[in-house]
Amino acid sequence: MRDASIIAAFDFDGTISTTDTLRVFVRDTVGTPRFVASAVLASPWLIGAALRVVDRGTAKAAFLRASLGARTRAQLESDAQRFIAQRLPRLLRPEMLARLRQHRAMGHRIVLVSASPGLYLRLWAASVGVDAVLSTELAYDELGRFAGQFAEPNCWGPEKVRRLEAWWAASPPRVLFVYGDSRGDKEMAERADFAWIRGQGKLMPLPDADASRRAS
């Protein structure tokens, strides 16, 4: 029986996937030579982000601007469909797919909260029964071409919590599970009742949320 008051929020890259899927998507889309050239062109922003003197979202947008250029929304959606069908399945962690299915079987709402683009995440999420995708969104110009920037702030760190709270609005979860793998998930994990961060122990058994809260 579905219990919409319990939410399981999953990061994607490094948590459900084994790697940074945005890099793989871009490389598969534009080819290795352009991928490398784009990294060189965007290196001032990328290095600045690594040194924490440039915002991560600004650096990511600079790289995508150099690599994807002015590809149309239709072209990118076609690229995303091909990526989901041919490449992404090999990058997913079986144990995390099993955990996602477990939450779904228990009737919990499942939300993907990721800094990667909704461009391809929404396609994948729909195929596995995820209820919502909160992600970084590309902006397009009046001709439907990638504008080289994002429609909203990069969905990372504190922005993940802001997106979650805006999504559930006046109906916050009674119980929140969070799964992540990096510094970008810290604030989201702190907001959770139950949190697991990759590298900080084995994947926890899925507890009886109601029993755990009664005991506390």
Side-chain angles (χ1 to χ4, degrees):
M1 189 172 185
R2 186 170 178 78
D3 186 345
S5 70
I6 299 179
I7 292 175
F10 288 81
D11 169 58
F12 191 74
D13 291 313
T15 301
I16 292 178
S17 73
T18 59
T19 188
D20 182 342
T21 58
L22 178 59
R23 293 179 186 174
V24 180
F25 170 72
V26 172
R27 192 166 194 159
D28 284 1
T29 297
V30 304
T32 298
R34 179 158 183 168
F35 177 89
V36 173
S38 299
V40 173
L41 285 172
S43 61
W45 291 272
L46 297 174
I47 293 171
L51 296 175
R52 299 184 180 181
V53 296
V54 172
D55 175 73
R56 296 173 67 96
T58 299
K60 183 191 293 186
F63 171 69
L64 293 180
R65 191 163 55 245
S67 57
L68 298 180
R71 295 175 79 85
T72 67
R73 184 194 294 266
Q75 288 174 319
L76 287 169
E77 288 176 349
S78 177
D79 295 331
Q81 290 173 350
R82 183 172 59 252
F83 178 66
I84 292 297
Q86 300 178 5
R87 192 77 161 93
L88 187 60
R90 290 175 283 168
L91 304 177
L92 302 178
R93 299 181 188 272
E95 74 276 14
M96 297 309 296
L97 295 178
R99 175 52 57 95
L100 190 152
R101 288 192 294 269
Q102 190 176 4
H103 276 290
R104 189 176 60 195
M106 296 175 74
H108 303 164
R109 280 191 293 168
I110 303 170
V111 56
L112 207 59
V113 192
S114 174
S116 279
L119 173 70
Y120 57 81
L121 289 183
R122 277 189 296 275
L123 291 173
W124 177 79
S127 73
V128 295
V130 169
D131 294 282
V133 174
L134 310 176
S135 58
T136 301
E137 301 296 338
L138 306 185
Y140 299 91
D141 65 18
E142 64 279 2
L143 297 178
R145 300 172 303 194
F146 175 49
Q149 57 190 8
F150 300 136
E152 295 184 79
N154 186 44
C155 191
W156 186 89
E159 180 66 11
K160 290 193 171 189
V161 175
R162 189 192 73 78
R163 297 282 193 93
L164 271 173
E165 292 178 343
W167 174 62
W168 65 53
S171 301
R174 180 168 54 87
V175 180
L176 175 63
F177 293 90
V178 163
Y179 299 88
D181 81 302
S182 70
R183 169 62 186 83
D185 304 308
K186 177 178 180 290
E187 290 82 3
M188 188 167 65
E190 290 173 346
R191 179 67 175 79
D193 297 288
F194 301 98
W196 175 81
I197 300 295
R198 183 170 298 282
Q200 297 182 12
K202 294 181 179 180
L203 186 63
M204 61 186 178
L206 189 56
D208 179 330
D210 288 331
S212 297
R213 288 180 71 84
R214 284 196 298 269
S216 63

Short mmCIF file of all heavy atoms in Angstrom, two decimals, residues 25 28 77-92 119-121 123-125 127:
data_model
loop_
_atom_site.label_atom_id
_atom_site.label_comp_id
_atom_site.label_asym_id
_atom_site.label_seq_id
_atom_site.Cartn_x
_atom_site.Cartn_y
_atom_site.Cartn_z
N PHE A 25 28.15 10.94 -21.18
CA PHE A 25 27.15 11.39 -22.14
C PHE A 25 27.76 12.37 -23.14
O PHE A 25 27.57 12.24 -24.37
CB PHE A 25 25.98 12.06 -21.41
CG PHE A 25 25.03 12.76 -22.34
CD1 PHE A 25 24.17 12.04 -23.16
CD2 PHE A 25 24.99 14.15 -22.39
CE1 PHE A 25 23.30 12.69 -24.03
CE2 PHE A 25 24.13 14.80 -23.24
CZ PHE A 25 23.28 14.08 -24.07
N ASP A 28 30.29 10.57 -25.49
CA ASP A 28 29.60 9.74 -26.47
C ASP A 28 28.89 10.59 -27.52
O ASP A 28 28.76 10.20 -28.68
CB ASP A 28 28.57 8.85 -25.78
CG ASP A 28 29.20 7.67 -25.06
OD1 ASP A 28 30.44 7.55 -25.08
OD2 ASP A 28 28.45 6.88 -24.47
N GLU A 77 17.78 15.65 -27.25
CA GLU A 77 16.84 14.63 -26.80
C GLU A 77 17.08 13.30 -27.51
O GLU A 77 16.96 12.23 -26.91
CB GLU A 77 15.40 15.12 -27.00
CG GLU A 77 15.02 16.22 -26.01
CD GLU A 77 13.64 16.79 -26.28
OE1 GLU A 77 13.06 16.49 -27.35
OE2 GLU A 77 13.14 17.54 -25.42
N SER A 78 17.43 13.38 -28.79
CA SER A 78 17.77 12.17 -29.53
C SER A 78 19.06 11.54 -28.97
O SER A 78 19.16 10.32 -28.81
CB SER A 78 17.95 12.50 -31.01
OG SER A 78 18.35 11.35 -31.73
N ASP A 79 20.04 12.39 -28.66
CA ASP A 79 21.29 11.91 -28.06
C ASP A 79 21.00 11.24 -26.72
O ASP A 79 21.59 10.20 -26.39
CB ASP A 79 22.25 13.09 -27.83
CG ASP A 79 22.71 13.74 -29.12
OD1 ASP A 79 22.79 13.04 -30.15
OD2 ASP A 79 22.99 14.96 -29.10
N ALA A 80 20.09 11.84 -25.94
CA ALA A 80 19.75 11.30 -24.62
C ALA A 80 19.08 9.93 -24.75
O ALA A 80 19.39 9.01 -23.98
CB ALA A 80 18.84 12.27 -23.88
N GLN A 81 18.18 9.78 -25.70
CA GLN A 81 17.51 8.49 -25.89
C GLN A 81 18.51 7.40 -26.25
O GLN A 81 18.43 6.28 -25.75
CB GLN A 81 16.45 8.63 -26.98
CG GLN A 81 15.25 9.46 -26.55
CD GLN A 81 14.29 9.75 -27.69
OE1 GLN A 81 14.59 9.48 -28.85
NE2 GLN A 81 13.13 10.29 -27.36
N ARG A 82 19.46 7.73 -27.11
CA ARG A 82 20.48 6.76 -27.50
C ARG A 82 21.36 6.41 -26.29
O ARG A 82 21.70 5.23 -26.08
CB ARG A 82 21.33 7.34 -28.63
CG ARG A 82 22.40 6.37 -29.15
CD ARG A 82 23.08 6.89 -30.38
NE ARG A 82 23.73 8.18 -30.15
CZ ARG A 82 23.29 9.34 -30.62
NH1 ARG A 82 22.18 9.39 -31.36
NH2 ARG A 82 23.92 10.48 -30.36
N PHE A 83 21.72 7.40 -25.50
CA PHE A 83 22.56 7.19 -24.32
C PHE A 83 21.86 6.27 -23.32
O PHE A 83 22.47 5.33 -22.78
CB PHE A 83 22.87 8.54 -23.68
CG PHE A 83 23.69 8.47 -22.42
CD1 PHE A 83 25.00 8.02 -22.46
CD2 PHE A 83 23.15 8.86 -21.21
CE1 PHE A 83 25.76 7.96 -21.29
CE2 PHE A 83 23.90 8.81 -20.05
CZ PHE A 83 25.21 8.36 -20.09
N ILE A 84 20.58 6.51 -23.08
CA ILE A 84 19.82 5.69 -22.13
C ILE A 84 19.70 4.25 -22.62
O ILE A 84 19.80 3.30 -21.84
CB ILE A 84 18.41 6.29 -21.94
CG1 ILE A 84 18.49 7.64 -21.21
CG2 ILE A 84 17.52 5.33 -21.16
CD1 ILE A 84 19.06 7.55 -19.83
N ALA A 85 19.52 4.08 -23.90
CA ALA A 85 19.31 2.74 -24.45
C ALA A 85 20.61 1.95 -24.58
O ALA A 85 20.64 0.75 -24.31
CB ALA A 85 18.63 2.84 -25.81
N GLN A 86 21.70 2.61 -24.97
CA GLN A 86 22.91 1.89 -25.35
C GLN A 86 24.04 1.96 -24.33
O GLN A 86 24.85 1.03 -24.25
CB GLN A 86 23.42 2.43 -26.69
CG GLN A 86 22.43 2.28 -27.82
CD GLN A 86 22.94 2.86 -29.13
OE1 GLN A 86 24.09 3.31 -29.24
NE2 GLN A 86 22.09 2.87 -30.14
N ARG A 87 24.13 3.02 -23.56
CA ARG A 87 25.32 3.22 -22.73
C ARG A 87 25.05 3.16 -21.23
O ARG A 87 25.77 2.50 -20.48
CB ARG A 87 25.94 4.58 -23.07
CG ARG A 87 27.33 4.79 -22.50
CD ARG A 87 28.36 4.04 -23.29
NE ARG A 87 29.69 4.55 -23.05
CZ ARG A 87 30.54 4.08 -22.14
NH1 ARG A 87 30.20 3.05 -21.39
NH2 ARG A 87 31.73 4.62 -21.99
N LEU A 88 24.00 3.83 -20.80
CA LEU A 88 23.76 3.97 -19.37
C LEU A 88 23.57 2.65 -18.63
O LEU A 88 24.07 2.51 -17.50
CB LEU A 88 22.57 4.90 -19.12
CG LEU A 88 22.33 5.27 -17.66
CD1 LEU A 88 23.54 5.99 -17.06
CD2 LEU A 88 21.09 6.13 -17.52
N PRO A 89 22.87 1.66 -19.19
CA PRO A 89 22.66 0.42 -18.43
C PRO A 89 23.94 -0.21 -17.90
O PRO A 89 23.94 -0.83 -16.82
CB PRO A 89 21.96 -0.49 -19.44
CG PRO A 89 21.22 0.46 -20.33
CD PRO A 89 22.15 1.64 -20.48
N ARG A 90 25.05 -0.04 -18.61
CA ARG A 90 26.32 -0.64 -18.17
C ARG A 90 26.98 0.16 -17.04
O ARG A 90 27.97 -0.30 -16.46
CB ARG A 90 27.28 -0.71 -19.36
CG ARG A 90 26.89 -1.75 -20.40
CD ARG A 90 27.80 -1.69 -21.60
NE ARG A 90 27.49 -0.56 -22.48
CZ ARG A 90 28.26 -0.13 -23.46
NH1 ARG A 90 29.42 -0.73 -23.69
NH2 ARG A 90 27.90 0.88 -24.22
N LEU A 91 26.43 1.32 -16.72
CA LEU A 91 27.04 2.18 -15.72
C LEU A 91 26.29 2.17 -14.39
O LEU A 91 26.63 2.94 -13.49
CB LEU A 91 27.10 3.63 -16.24
CG LEU A 91 27.82 3.85 -17.57
CD1 LEU A 91 27.72 5.32 -17.97
CD2 LEU A 91 29.28 3.42 -17.48
N LEU A 92 25.29 1.31 -14.25
CA LEU A 92 24.44 1.31 -13.07
C LEU A 92 24.84 0.24 -12.06
O LEU A 92 25.27 -0.84 -12.43
CB LEU A 92 22.98 1.12 -13.49
CG LEU A 92 22.45 2.16 -14.48
CD1 LEU A 92 21.02 1.83 -14.87
CD2 LEU A 92 22.54 3.57 -13.89
N LEU A 119 17.84 16.16 -18.84
CA LEU A 119 17.75 15.77 -20.25
C LEU A 119 17.70 14.26 -20.42
O LEU A 119 16.86 13.73 -21.16
CB LEU A 119 18.96 16.36 -21.00
CG LEU A 119 19.15 15.94 -22.45
CD1 LEU A 119 18.08 16.56 -23.31
CD2 LEU A 119 20.55 16.32 -22.93
N TYR A 120 18.60 13.54 -19.75
CA TYR A 120 18.58 12.08 -19.86
C TYR A 120 18.10 11.40 -18.58
O TYR A 120 17.61 10.28 -18.62
CB TYR A 120 19.93 11.51 -20.30
CG TYR A 120 21.12 11.85 -19.43
CD1 TYR A 120 21.40 11.15 -18.26
CD2 TYR A 120 22.02 12.85 -19.82
CE1 TYR A 120 22.51 11.44 -17.49
CE2 TYR A 120 23.13 13.14 -19.05
CZ TYR A 120 23.37 12.44 -17.88
OH TYR A 120 24.47 12.73 -17.11
N LEU A 121 18.22 12.09 -17.44
CA LEU A 121 17.78 11.45 -16.20
C LEU A 121 16.28 11.19 -16.18
O LEU A 121 15.83 10.17 -15.66
CB LEU A 121 18.17 12.32 -15.00
CG LEU A 121 19.65 12.40 -14.66
CD1 LEU A 121 19.85 13.24 -13.41
CD2 LEU A 121 20.25 11.01 -14.46
N LEU A 123 14.33 10.44 -18.66
CA LEU A 123 14.04 9.26 -19.48
C LEU A 123 14.31 7.99 -18.69
O LEU A 123 13.51 7.06 -18.68
CB LEU A 123 14.87 9.28 -20.76
CG LEU A 123 14.55 10.35 -21.79
CD1 LEU A 123 15.59 10.33 -22.90
CD2 LEU A 123 13.16 10.12 -22.36
N TRP A 124 15.46 7.95 -18.02
CA TRP A 124 15.81 6.77 -17.24
C TRP A 124 14.86 6.60 -16.06
O TRP A 124 14.36 5.51 -15.79
CB TRP A 124 17.24 6.86 -16.73
CG TRP A 124 17.60 5.69 -15.87
CD1 TRP A 124 17.94 4.44 -16.28
CD2 TRP A 124 17.57 5.65 -14.43
NE1 TRP A 124 18.13 3.62 -15.19
CE2 TRP A 124 17.92 4.34 -14.05
CE3 TRP A 124 17.30 6.60 -13.45
CZ2 TRP A 124 18.00 3.95 -12.72
CZ3 TRP A 124 17.38 6.22 -12.11
CH2 TRP A 124 17.72 4.91 -11.76
N ALA A 125 14.58 7.70 -15.37
CA ALA A 125 13.74 7.64 -14.18
C ALA A 125 12.35 7.11 -14.50
O ALA A 125 11.78 6.32 -13.73
CB ALA A 125 13.64 9.02 -13.54
N SER A 127 11.60 4.98 -16.65
CA SER A 127 11.66 3.55 -16.96
C SER A 127 11.75 2.68 -15.71
O SER A 127 11.53 1.47 -15.78
CB SER A 127 12.86 3.25 -17.87
OG SER A 127 14.09 3.35 -17.16
#
